[in-house]
Amino acid sequence: MSVARGQSQLEGPVDLAPVQPDTSLESVIFDLILKFLQTPGQVLLVQGPPGSGKTTFALEILNSLEETHKIYASSRVAPARLRQHFPWIDEVIDTMSGRTARASWIDELHDLRRVEPDTIFNQVLRLKHSKQRAVLVVDSWEGAIRNTNDEGRKMLESAVLSELDESKVSVVIVVEDSKKAGDLGYLVDGIVTLDQSELDGRRVRTIAINKLRGFSVPTKRGIFSLDKARFTILPNGLRTPGTNLHPKPLEPVPNPSGAFSLGSRDMDQMLGGSIPRGSFLLIDVDSSVSPVEIRTILNMVRANFINQKGPCVIVPTAAYSSDTVAESLSKYVGWEAIDERVRILEYNQSLAPKKWRLVMKSNLSDDVKTFAHAWDELAKISPHRMLDINVDKAVQVYGRDELSVPGLTELGANMRDTEGLNIAIASTDSKLRDQWLSVVDYHLKIKNADGSLVIYGVKPFTPLYGVDLNFDKGYPVLNLMQIV
């Protein structure tokens, strides 16, 4: 059956103008959906399996729209139960009258579980005839038409989908089973699909934009969380890719007594509050994570340690030279601290000497002696030193077999004895990684999933967290959001 529809008022793709100039998935995906619904006459179909977050998503849409009358018609949950599960719905302040009382919109929470289809039909007509800007959410479509015959379903479709442009009404239709939605997918202007899956035994929630008629969709998928009964799309890892234009010295997160902070309170909390001295942390980095993202995270950890007078030795990844590592880190600790407390290994012997540069010969026996001398020199500053070693670089330089030399493999024991912090980064499997994996205290994994950077603990086991990595304070800041 075809339903008469008004023509869209849009002539072409719409340019986004997010409030803040970032490239986060949240600003792209959710703002795009809001702009879509702010155009009168649009109909958005929200589909997904039970428990995928459709109701929370629909309520978040209403909560975010401004200067719009909002009606939430539920055929599944009573208004009182909705308020119980979503106590924040009182935050919606825009009403038909223009008043700003935070609880005023809840008068438009309708319970459709016990009403007849013609009652729903009349409610829709009343809203359209009011000629006021409004958004109607029908949750769910199956519930709204469950007691109707074919003629009643067609009547309701016509009431909801026709002449919306003239009435200034946009509609969000929640569908539990897309197979039972009939021709709705062909009649609506936009379709959004919510889903949930698993990543190493941890739940991942995804949102996908299938279509938004008249709108350009630069990013079609993202990960979201339902933490605190709110629908939040995760940012895409590093929110400010490229150069930090206004770098500042990092203000460290203080080290607790007998422990270390990683420079992010959220990361510390994920691992139990802090990292005890003498700990060994192994971070597996998936190939989907860009070198600049992992360098930014490591610079946060390094700077937090260095700015609390801690000496640090760095074995960088093959993606960056010692000059690049020193230059990027100096923005947050200063060159004086680099010269005094930092040593960066370099295997290119043609580079100019620097106080902080530790030139190696790519011969393990000789390099262990060079390293040990520098390591002991740094102990004069503080016995609590940090070693940041890229496992892949070590394997690349020395080979897979030679790394069983006792001088290197016993380094972990030395770190524990001197109550230091040992951080190893690995992107590929190797004998050294496997050898260390059996003795590490902490094992984390960092991946890129559907455009978002995620992190989780294998040892100890933790939930999945979305990473918000930014330079809002002029230095690397890492915040986490648990995916619930």
Side-chain angles (χ1 to χ4, degrees), residues 347 363-365 367-368 389-411 430-433 435-436:
Y347 294 90
N363 178 287
L364 187 58
S365 298
D367 289 350
V368 165
I389 179 171
N390 185 275
V391 178
D392 302 332
K393 179 65 174 181
V395 172
Q396 175 189 352
V397 173
Y398 302 112
R400 295 179 177 272
D401 297 326
E402 290 190 54
L403 287 172
S404 60
V405 174
L408 189 60
T409 55
E410 292 176 0
L411 185 59
S430 66
K431 183 183 296 185
L432 179 60
R433 173 193 171 276
Q435 197 171 21
W436 279 350

Side-chain angles (χ1 to χ4, degrees), residues 416-428:
R416 295 189 190 280
D417 292 341
T418 58
E419 296 187 330
L421 176 60
N422 191 357
I423 298 180
I425 310 297
S427 297
T428 59

Side-chain angles (χ1 to χ4, degrees), residues 25 199 202-205 223-227 232-239 264 266-267 270 297 445-449 451-457 462-470 477-484:
L25 288 177
L199 176 62
R202 297 157 178 85
R203 178 160 54 190
V204 181
R205 296 184 181 273
I223 293 179
F224 67 90
S225 175
L226 299 181
D227 192 26
T232 306
I233 299 178
L234 304 182
N236 59 341
L238 187 59
R239 286 200 281 115
S264 163
D266 286 355
M267 280 190 67
M270 180 181 70
I297 294 174
K445 288 190 176 183
I446 300 178
K447 296 184 177 183
N448 188 300
S452 294
L453 204 60
V454 297
I455 185 172
Y456 56 97
T462 73
L464 189 68
Y465 293 87
V467 177
D468 176 14
L469 188 59
N470 63 82
V477 175
L478 188 150
N479 300 311
L480 299 179
M481 174 178 290
Q482 183 176 340
I483 298 179
V484 177

Side-chain angles (χ1 to χ4, degrees), residues 369-383:
K369 295 177 183 178
T370 303
F371 173 89
H373 176 73
W375 189 249
D376 291 341
E377 285 294 311
L378 290 177
K380 297 176 182 179
I381 301 174
S382 172

